Amino acid sequence: MDLDLTEEQEMLRTMARDFLTKECPKTLVRELEEDEKGYSPELWRKMAELGWMGLVLPEEHGGMDMGFMDLIILLQEMGRNIVPGPFFCSVVLGSLPILSAGTEEQKKRFLPEIASGEMILTMALYEPNARYDASGVETKAVAQDNNFVINGTKLFVENAHIADYMICVTRTQEGASPEEGISLFLVDSKSPGIKCQVIPTMADDKLCEVVLENVSVPKENMLGELDKGWRIVTRALEHAIMAKCAEMVGGSEAVLDMTLDYVKERVQYGKPIGSFQVIQHYCANMWTNVATSRNLLYKVAWDLGEGLPVAKEIAMAKGWINQAYKFVTERAIQCHGAIGLTRDHDVGLYYRRAKAAELAFGDTDFQKELVAQQMGL
Amino acid sequence: MDFGFTEQEEAGRQEIREFLRQELGTVRTWTTPGEAISKDFTRKLAEKGWLGVGWPTEYGGLGRPYTEQLIYSEETMYYGAPSGSHILAQNMVGPTLIRVGSEEQKREYLPRILRGEITFCLGYTEPNAGSDLANCQTTAVPEGDDFIINGQKMFTSFAGQADYAWMTVRTDPNAPKKHRGISMFIVDMKTPGITVRPLETMWDYSLYEVFFENVRVPKNAVVGELNQGWHYLTVALDHERVFMGGVVAQHRRFFGELVEYAKNTYRNGKPLSKDPIVRQRLAQLATDLEIGRLFAYRVAWILGKEVIPFAEASMTKIFTSELEQRLANTAMQILGLYGPLGRGSRAPFDGYAGWEYKFSLMQAVGGGSNEIERILIAIAGLGLPRP
Ligand SMILES: Cc1cc2nc3c(=O)[nH]c(=O)nc-3n(C[C@H](O)[C@H](O)[C@H](O)COP(=O)(O)OP(=O)(O)OC[C@H]3O[C@@H](n4cnc5c(N)ncnc54)[C@H](O)[C@@H]3O)c2cc1C
C-alpha cells in the first residue's frame, strides 16, 4: 500500500494550482458567469498547450498518456478554482467514451482535435423527464438509407451551445429492458434540425436545451454497437461521476481554506471568531468532511483506474461527497456571516455550484438506492 | 386554555384574505415579504387599520391582542404581500417607541407609521460590529443644540428606500462598559452627509452600506434617554425575532405547492408523492410547519402579557430559519435536475426553488446569527453561565 501521490502527481498538482491561481482568478469566473459563451478561449488555449485536454489520451492521438488518477488530480485543482468552461464535458464526457468505444477511424478523427482543444465535445444524455437511468432515454433514432434520423429533446446538456459535436444518446429500439435498444451517435451540432438554447441556472454552468428535429447523422458516426450503447453510457458515467467528485472535493478544500483564513482574522467580542467553540466545531466538522471525501475519492478513482468492480463504491462516493460539499459550503457561509451572502464574496460561488454538482448524475437518495441494490437488498 | 380562534378572529382572517386575494390574485409571485416594497399597498393596508392591529388604541391602533395581529401578518405573508414599506416600522420601530419613546416622538412618528407614510431602516451592523453590536463605532458628538454623526453602517436592509434610519450610535466613548455608551437615534435619511451604496446579495436583492459624514441631527433625534440605546436595541431586536418567526406562513404556501407538484409529477413511472423518501420529507416538513406556526402563536401570546419573550423569540427565529433551509433543500431534492434551473426556463415554480435555496441562508444570519441566538437561549432562558 502507498497512499501518497507520486512525484509526478505532486508536480502536476503544483503546476495546475499555480497556473489556475494566476490564469483563472475569481474575477474571470464571475465575468464568465455573465458571458454568453461561458468560457475564455484564451484560457482554453493555454490549458490545451499544457496538454490538459489530452492528459489521459494515448500519445498516438495527441495525448500525454497519463492515467485516470492524474486526471482526477487535475480536476480536483480545477474544482478548487471552479474553472468555467467545457473541460469536463469535452474531456470526460466526450473524449473518454470515444477512446473506449470508438472505431480507429473515430479516434483518429476526434481525439487529436479534442486533445489540442480545437474541437469541443459534449454529451446529450438527459431529457425533460429528468431521469438518471436508461428509461429516461426517449429521443429516437431511426435508420434511413446510410443515415440515422434523430428526433427528440435533450435537456441539461452542458455547453451544447459551444460544442462542435455531441454524443447523443438515443433509443433505436424498444428492448426487453430500458438498457437495451440504446445507441450513441456523434452528432455535428451544426446539423440542420438542431435548436440549442442556454438555460439560466444557479451555477451559471451553461446547461442547454437541445431540440433535435429530423437530424440526419451518417451511420459511421455511431459510437459503439447498435442498440448496445447503454454499456458505453454506464462506463462514461462511472468516469464522469468520479471526475465530478474530484471537482467537488477540490471545491470543498478551497472553501475550507477560505473559511479558516476568515475565522482567524475576523474579530468579534475582541477575539477571532475562530476561538469560539461553536465555530471550532463547525470547522472541525468541515475538515472531517473534506478529509474523508478526499480519501474516498482517491480510493474509488484508483479502483476505477485499475479496472476493479466499482458500481457500489462509486455510488457511495458520490452520495457521500454530495453531502460533504453541501455541508462544507453551507457551514462556511454561516461562519462568514452576512459578508458570505453577498454576491461579491467567493464562498457563494461555491455554494451555488455545490448544489448543482450534488444533483448532477444522481443526488444522494439516488446513489443510496444504488448502494442498496448492490448490497443485494 | 383555548387553542381555537374566536369568531372575531376568524372573521378578521376572512376579511384580510379576501382583500389580499383581490389585490394580489391567487398566483404566488416571486417577491418575498419584507423584500418587496410598495408604498401604495402599504397605504391600502393602513386605510383598513391593519398596520396597527396589535397597537394600543391610544396610539391609533386597533388594540387587539398580538395573537390577532399575527393572524393578519400570517395572511399577508402567505400571500407574499409586498411589505417592505411597513414591516420594520410596524413590527419593530413602532412597538419599541410605544414602550420607550418620548411623548413628542410618539406623536411625531406613530400616526405617520399607521398611515403608511413613512418607512424605516435599521442601522445596527457596522464593519466591526456584527454579532458584537456593542462594538458600535459610529459616533454622535453634541454640538450646540445638535449632534454630529460620523461612521458607517453595513448590511442595512431598505436603506435605499427608507425615510428614516433607526440606528445605534456611540454617545459615550468613555463608558466603562461598551454597551453603556450607546444611544438609539432616529435620523432622517435625507440629511446632508449621508451616502447610501448598494451591496448585492446572492439572491439578487440589495442590502446597503450607509456612510455618515458630519451628519447634523437635532437633539430630539435621540430615542428615550441618552446612553440607554442598548436596552432599546434588545427590545427592538426581540420584536424583530418575533416577526421573523411569523414568516412560517410564507413557507406554508410554497410547501403546499410542492405537495401538489409531488402529487402531479411522475418519475420512474409513478407520482413523486408515492416515493417513500419524498413522503418522509414532506411529512417531516408538514410537522415542522405546524410546530413553527404554533410556536409563533405562543410567542405572540407571551408578548401580549407585556413580557418580553427573549428566549422564546430566539427559539422561534432559529426554528423557522432552519425549517426554511430544510424546505429549500427538500424542494431541490424533489425537483432533481430541474432544481438549479433559473427564472424564465422550464423550471417549476419559475425557478423559485433554486432562488429560495440561496435566500434561505439569510435568516440563519440576519437578525442575530443562530449561534448567538443559541447562546442567548442558554443564558437568558436557561440561566447558564456566560462563556
Ligand atoms: C439579509 C440580511 C439583512 C440584514 N439586514 C440588516 C439590517 O437591516 N440592519 C442591520 O443593522 N443589520 C442587518 N443585517 C446584519 C445582521 O444583523 C448581521 O449579519 C448579524 O448580526 C451577524 O453579523 P456578521 O454578519 O457581521 O457576522 P459575525 O458577527 O462576523 O459572525 C460570523 C460568524 O461568527 C459567529 N460568532 C460571532 N460571535 C460569536 C460568539 N461570541 N460565539 C459564537 N459564534 C460567534 C457568528 O454566529 C457567525 O457564524 C442583515 C443581514 C442579512 C444577512
Side-chain angles (χ1 to χ4, degrees):
Chain A
M1 200 176 255
D2 177 3
L3 299 187
D4 289 332
L5 301 185
T6 64
E7 218 169 290
E8 293 78 40
Q9 287 167 339
E10 290 285 3
M11 268 163 58
L12 174 66
R13 156 166 304 170
T14 312
M15 193 259 287
R17 189 168 298 181
D18 293 348
F19 173 81
L20 291 172
T21 310
K22 181 158 157 281
E23 302 289 339
C24 185
K26 293 297 181 298
T27 44
L28 180 67
V29 174
R30 275 171 216 287
E31 223 174 88
L32 293 174
E33 284 199 338
E34 310 286 325
D35 184 74
E36 207 186 315
K37 284 204 301 285
Y39 82 111
S40 149
E42 193 195 334
L43 176 61
W44 185 250
R45 189 179 45 74
K46 286 183 184 165
M47 281 163 48
E49 278 164 12
L50 291 171
W52 288 2
M53 277 64 140
L55 199 76
V56 290
L57 298 179
E59 272 171 38
E60 54 169 318
H61 297 308
M64 294 176 68
D65 225 354
M66 292 171 83
F68 185 62
M69 190 56 110
D70 304 304
L71 181 60
I72 287 290
I73 285 159
L74 179 60
L75 281 159
Q76 205 181 333
E77 292 309 310
M78 297 184 78
R80 177 181 268 273
N81 272 275
I82 42 177
V83 180
F87 185 88
F88 188 92
C89 63
S90 196
V91 172
V92 180
L93 296 174
S95 77
L96 296 185
I98 297 176
L99 181 64
S100 72
T103 60
E104 271 318 302
E105 261 295 273
Q106 288 167 340
K107 290 185 198 173
K108 277 208 194 86
R109 192 167 138 213
F110 289 99
L111 296 182
E113 283 199 46
I114 296 175
S116 68
E118 284 158 273
M119 187 190 272
I120 292 174
L121 258 85
T122 190
M123 183 181 272
L125 170 59
Y126 297 125
E127 304 194 7
N129 59 43
R131 293 185 68 152
Y132 296 116
D133 59 9
S135 29
V137 181
E138 294 174 25
T139 292
K140 292 221 160 39
V142 179
Q144 207 176 71
D145 308 327
N146 270 333
N147 297 320
F148 276 84
V149 177
I150 305 181
N151 276 290
T153 299
K154 293 290 180 180
L155 203 57
F156 319 105
V157 187
E158 267 184 61
N159 289 301
H161 66 310
I162 50 166
D164 300 296
Y165 275 83
M166 49 187 138
I167 299 177
C168 189
V169 183
T170 66
R171 188 157 295 286
T172 33
Q173 198 183 310
E174 296 301 332
S177 75
E179 288 77 19
E180 284 171 51
I182 286 177
S183 308
L184 274 49
F185 295 94
L186 285 151
V187 180
D188 182 340
S189 36
K190 275 164 230 70
S191 315
I194 294 186
K195 274 205 242 69
C196 173
Q197 201 188 353
V198 179
I199 312 167
T201 62
M202 182 185 286
D204 288 306
D205 46 3
K206 313 302 169 197
L207 299 185
C208 298
E209 171 170 341
V210 181
V211 179
L212 302 108
E213 217 185 305
N214 295 321
V215 176
S216 188
V217 188
K219 267 206 175 103
E220 63 265 24
N221 280 19
M222 187 190 296
L223 183 63
E225 285 175 66
L226 183 70
D227 295 337
K228 303 228 164 76
W230 189 253
R231 253 183 270 156
I232 308 171
V233 175
T234 307
R235 196 164 162 69
L237 286 180
E238 286 175 352
H239 288 90
I241 289 174
M242 291 323 293
K244 186 55 76 183
C245 285
E247 287 185 347
M248 294 166 86
V249 169
S252 64
E253 288 171 340
V255 170
L256 176 63
D257 289 353
M258 197 184 294
T259 307
L260 291 178
D261 286 346
Y262 188 73
V263 302
K264 287 178 197 164
E265 156 204 311
R266 168 72 169 166
V267 172
Q268 285 289 277
Y269 303 97
K271 290 183 203 143
I273 57 173
S275 68
F276 300 127
Q277 200 170 47
V278 61
I279 299 288
Q280 294 185 342
H281 286 192
Y282 290 165
C283 291
N285 288 339
M286 286 163 69
W287 189 26
T288 308
N289 271 279
V290 171
T292 50
S293 293
R294 187 171 40 221
N295 203 33
L296 187 56
L297 165 73
Y298 289 162
K299 158 72 167 73
V300 182
W302 180 81
D303 284 350
L304 187 59
E306 296 291 305
L308 297 168
V310 282
K312 180 168 82 183
E313 286 73 11
I314 286 179
M316 280 180 174
K318 183 67 172 33
W320 179 262
I321 293 169
N322 276 347
Q323 287 183 327
Y325 195 17
K326 180 192 150 26
F327 174 83
V328 169
T329 52
E330 187 272 320
R331 283 295 92 180
I333 288 187
Q334 191 65 24
C335 288
H336 278 81
I339 198 74
L341 295 169
T342 54
R343 195 186 290 164
D344 287 342
H345 200 284
D346 292 346
V347 69
L349 295 174
Y350 289 86
Y351 178 75
R352 292 190 274 121
R353 281 162 179 76
K355 194 66 190 181
E358 180 188 335
L359 296 170
F361 310 121
D363 64 5
T364 300
D365 292 340
F366 176 82
Q367 302 298 347
K368 280 186 184 157
E369 173 57 34
L370 294 184
V371 174
Q373 285 172 18
Q374 290 295 324
M375 289 162 68
L377 298 178
Chain B
M1 205 172 273
D2 179 1
F3 273 92
F5 294 109
T6 64
E7 257 173 48
Q8 183 177 357
E9 285 165 341
E10 284 295 359
R13 190 188 290 282
Q14 287 312 321
E15 193 190 353
I16 189 164
R17 193 176 281 178
E18 196 42 48
F19 167 83
L20 291 166
R21 253 188 223 142
Q22 275 174 19
E23 289 290 324
L24 304 169
T26 45
V27 181
R28 185 174 52 77
T29 54
W30 248 59
T31 44
T32 54
E35 298 293 344
I37 296 181
S38 161
K39 267 204 164 169
D40 256 8
F41 184 79
T42 293
R43 285 219 185 87
K44 284 184 187 161
L45 285 179
E47 276 162 26
K48 298 267 187 186
W50 288 336
L51 294 187
V53 175
W55 288 26
T57 43
E58 53 178 313
Y59 298 113
L62 299 185
R64 306 299 308 158
Y66 275 106
T67 44
E68 200 168 320
Q69 179 171 328
L70 186 53
I71 293 176
Y72 287 86
S73 52
E74 271 195 327
E75 293 301 317
T76 45
M77 295 275 178
Y78 187 88
Y79 278 89
S83 312
S85 264
H86 60 264
I87 39 161
L88 301 184
Q90 175 194 22
N91 294 296
M92 293 139 224
V93 176
T96 312
L97 269 183
I98 289 172
R99 278 177 199 266
V100 307
S102 68
E103 277 314 307
E104 185 202 337
Q105 284 162 343
K106 291 179 190 172
R107 273 200 312 277
E108 161 94 17
Y109 297 109
L110 296 180
R112 289 157 74 207
I113 291 176
L114 283 184
R115 288 200 297 270
E117 284 172 10
I118 51 172
T119 65
F120 283 81
C121 62
L122 308 178
Y124 309 143
T125 308
E126 300 182 4
N128 293 311
S131 298
D132 186 9
L133 286 176
N135 198 36
C136 163
Q137 289 165 354
T138 298
T139 56
V141 178
E143 196 182 284
D145 280 342
D146 303 325
F147 278 97
I148 308 293
I149 302 180
N150 277 290
Q152 182 198 343
K153 296 292 173 181
M154 216 176 165
F155 306 122
T156 322
S157 309
F158 307 119
Q161 298 84 20
D163 300 306
Y164 295 96
W166 165 273
M167 61 185 279
T168 49
V169 289
R170 179 154 305 282
T171 37
D172 181 359
N174 303 317
K177 283 196 166 154
K178 276 198 239 172
H179 56 271
R180 297 257 177 262
I182 293 175
S183 300
M184 190 68 77
F185 274 45
I186 295 179
V187 175
D188 188 331
M189 290 294 283
K190 284 185 290 297
T191 319
I194 299 181
T195 342
V196 176
R197 232 177 25 208
L199 205 59
E200 299 296 333
T201 62
M202 223 198 287
W203 52 89
D204 300 330
Y205 279 117
S206 285
L207 300 172
Y208 298 89
E209 287 178 289
V210 188
F211 299 88
F212 298 84
E213 216 186 318
N214 296 321
V215 176
R216 181 178 288 274
V217 298
K219 280 249 154 76
N220 65 8
V222 182
V223 175
E225 286 174 54
L226 202 65
N227 295 327
Q228 290 300 306
W230 185 255
H231 171 58
Y232 308 153
L233 173 69
T234 53
V235 174
L237 273 177
D238 208 51
H239 279 280
E240 180 170 354
R241 285 164 201 150
V242 171
F243 162 77
M244 289 175 90
V247 301
V248 173
Q250 172 199 347
H251 307 323
R252 239 179 35 227
R253 186 160 189 189
F254 180 43
F255 175 72
E257 292 173 350
L258 203 54
V259 170
E260 283 311 302
Y261 179 84
K263 282 188 197 161
N264 298 319
T265 308
Y266 280 69
R267 199 157 305 152
N268 306 329
K270 56 182 187 188
L272 276 168
S273 59
K274 294 289 173 197
D275 177 329
I277 299 173
V278 171
R279 294 166 74 81
Q280 289 280 328
R281 297 239 167 97
L282 290 176
Q284 181 65 51
L285 278 172
T287 312
D288 291 352
L289 284 163
E290 188 61 23
I291 289 171
R293 180 174 189 223
L294 278 176
F295 206 72
Y297 276 99
R298 169 70 58 183
V299 175
W301 177 255
I302 302 174
L303 208 56
K305 294 203 244 189
E306 296 298 309
V307 177
I308 304 275
F310 287 112
E312 290 84 353
S314 296
M315 284 182 206
T316 195
K317 189 261 173 182
I318 292 174
F319 187 85
T320 321
S321 61
E322 293 179 352
L323 155 63
E324 183 173 358
Q325 295 188 357
R326 284 196 294 277
L327 172 64
N329 248 307
T330 300
M332 291 296 274
Q333 227 74 50
I334 288 179
L335 265 53
L337 287 170
Y338 279 102
L341 303 198
R343 220 168 182 176
S345 65
R346 308 172 59 129
F349 317 115
D350 196 20
Y352 181 79
W355 179 84
E356 175 63 44
Y357 184 70
K358 295 181 272 181
F359 183 70
S360 64
L361 290 168
M362 165 269 180
Q363 299 268 27
V365 174
S369 71
N370 283 5
E371 291 71 32
I372 298 297
E373 297 301 292
R374 286 193 160 92
I375 293 173
L376 277 175
I377 294 174
I379 295 172
L382 299 173
L384 294 180
R386 287 179 178 276

